[in-house]
Amino acid sequence: MDTNLTPKYIAHLREEFNDALMSLQLPEQPSYLYKPMSYVFSGKGKRLRPILLYITGKAMGASEDDLKYASIAVELLHNFTLVHDDIMDQDDFRHGKHTIHKKWDESTAILSGDGLYVLSLSFVAKVKTHSLKVIKTFNEAALMVCEGQAYDKQYENDRHISIDDYFIMVEKKTGNLIGLCTELGGILGNQSHKNIKDLKTFGMILGTVFQIQDDILEIMANEESMGKSLGSDITKGKQTILSILARKKDEKEWDILNSNIKEIDSTIRRQKEFFISNGIIVEAQRMIQSYINQANEILNIFPEPCKSQLTQFTELVLNRNH
Amino acid sequence: MDTNLTPKYIAHLREEFNDALMSLQLPEQPSYLYKPMSYVFSGKGKRLRPILLYITGKAMGASEDDLKYASIAVELLHNFTLVHDDIMDQDDFRHGKHTIHKKWDESTAILSGDGLYVLSLSFVAKVKTHSLKVIKTFNEAALMVCEGQAYDKQYENDRHISIDDYFIMVEKKTGNLIGLCTELGGILGNQSHKNIKDLKTFGMILGTVFQIQDDILEIMANEESMGKSLGSDITKGKQTILSILARKKDEKEWDILNSNIKEIDSTIRRQKEFFISNGIIVEAQRMIQSYINQANEILNIFPEPCKSQLTQFTELVLNRNH
């Protein structure tokens, strides 16, 4: 088997998952439920989670059908969380398109989010290998993701949140869903209990890296590449890796800098300057590198093509610009 | 086995389910998620759904543990739908208490609703008899309930909704969840495919009756016994059995009567008069009786104590005043 995870292969898998989502053949009625659900599938998601689950399981020799069902399920679960989180965070854009609550209204977004989750469960239930274990693993991860989002909301505007609190939140909110992908890949690939645990840990670390990166991109990237308006973390008083490190570095200066967050453009500009001149970005990137080292350490025990492919997937995540 | 479903036994089961819900021992943190979830359990629900599932399965000799897990699961599923529906319908009271979005806010209500659903799935996954079938049945019912709620929202202020449309909505929205209770009772009680189907149909009919009754109580009962403010159906432009029959009876008169729905008290009073003087209540009650006859017909084929207990349960539902 080719151990190389070429950009062409990734693009091919993304296309496959996009096709699968577009051809789910949801009923026409009630359109109140199914139209916004279809709208979600038409978005240009990166499909990183199903790709990760698929390549992990494939490298372990899992069944093609099981991998496809489980991959679609995690992507639907992910989209359910996006739809509901976007309401809670009042984010109006996602992947360059209006979010459901913006395009329709909040009731439509609540219900179609629910529908996406129920649909995800119907895909999990199609898996034939270790069915009950897969279902329980999926449920547990979903609860952790809810807990993570709860911490995210609970922490808003809370000046006492520490780096440790942040990592608890991120591990639950972002880590668990990506950890679920590698964990399910391992379960479907009939791996040992220890290997499944290691794969899960690898995914959770990757998810944590992903979130730290997201925090950086949210302020340092440009709106076009992100497909959404930036600065939303600031106006919502979100705790990000950068804001926590900044507060720790120089609380007084940081407070002055944020004294008028209604002027969002100048606040973004001043925050950027603060992060760069105080070495905050470098510090966050050092954290990312430390996590990546831990992740690679875990991968060392896995045979090829798993090791190479997951290493390459990690690089893919690291090099993203949105 | 005693075939009698005494009020004392019903009260005992309700107490058991209340205790089970109160002792779920949810984690303390994140309080943003678990505090409102616990608040939901402290409400004075009638617990009709878990009681129905339990007595159905018990009459068929199902395992005590399985019945308890499945019963808690349907009650959690039901509460998830209430929390989200209350946001969508902007209903501020439930069982005499503030709804979550009113007591906290919409984000809290969205997330704790999600949490209730995820929790319900963890209970379904504990069931040991026909596990996968139970899980799939549960998922299918949840999707139908979403569809029903979608129709309910889609139909708001739509003057073209017919009686047939109404029954499609009600069957999905209310019928499916009650049908799920009798269906799961049958599955856990190792019944034949035909018996399970009949039990499901019986539950769906009972659910339809329940909804017609609810439509009547919503306008004819008093606020205290209902534990919520009345007239919400009117202000939201909901299609109820009474409004559809009234429009069919005398569209012009009905329109005049509803020309100023902002004056809710006088609109309720005038609607009541219209319903009574035009025989609309009698017609709706005739429909209920016709459904009850169908339900009893189905029960005829079931042995004791199933037949007697479900007949008595039907009477319990019929005689409720809230």
Side-chain angles (χ1 to χ4, degrees), chain A residues 272-285:
Chain A
K272 275 187 186 177
E273 283 165 15
F274 185 96
F275 293 144
I276 293 166
S277 61
N278 286 279
I280 307 282
I281 302 288
V282 174
E283 202 173 335
Q285 276 162 345

Side-chain angles (χ1 to χ4, degrees), chain A residues 27 29-34 37 80 84-85 87-89 106-108 110-111 114-115 117-119 121-122 125-127 131-132 135-136 139-140 142-151 153-154 172, chain B residues 27 29-34 37 80 84-85 87-89 106-108 110-111 114-115 117-119 121-122 125-127 131-132 135-136 139-140 142-151 153-154 172:
Chain A
Q29 291 293 340
S31 58
Y32 187 96
L33 176 67
Y34 291 118
M37 282 172 69
F80 144 67
H84 279 191
D85 290 2
I87 312 172
M88 296 183 221
D89 292 338
E106 293 200 1
S107 295
T108 308
I110 293 170
L111 193 62
D114 293 344
Y117 184 35
V118 180
L119 195 62
L121 299 167
S122 75
K126 284 181 203 275
V127 170
S131 314
L132 276 178
I135 289 168
K136 285 181 186 178
N139 291 347
E140 279 159 24
L143 189 60
M144 289 305 105
V145 174
C146 286
E147 286 195 0
Q149 172 67 4
Y151 278 121
K153 295 298 291 177
Q154 195 169 314
K172 286 184 184 276
Chain B
Q29 290 292 342
S31 58
Y32 186 97
L33 176 66
Y34 291 118
M37 281 171 70
F80 144 68
H84 279 191
D85 290 1
I87 313 172
M88 296 182 222
D89 292 338
E106 293 200 2
S107 295
T108 308
I110 293 170
L111 193 62
D114 293 344
Y117 184 35
V118 180
L119 195 62
L121 298 168
S122 74
K126 285 180 202 276
V127 170
S131 314
L132 276 178
I135 289 168
K136 285 183 187 179
N139 290 347
E140 278 158 26
L143 189 61
M144 288 305 105
V145 174
C146 286
E147 285 195 2
Q149 172 66 5
Y151 278 122
K153 296 298 292 178
Q154 194 169 315
K172 286 185 183 275

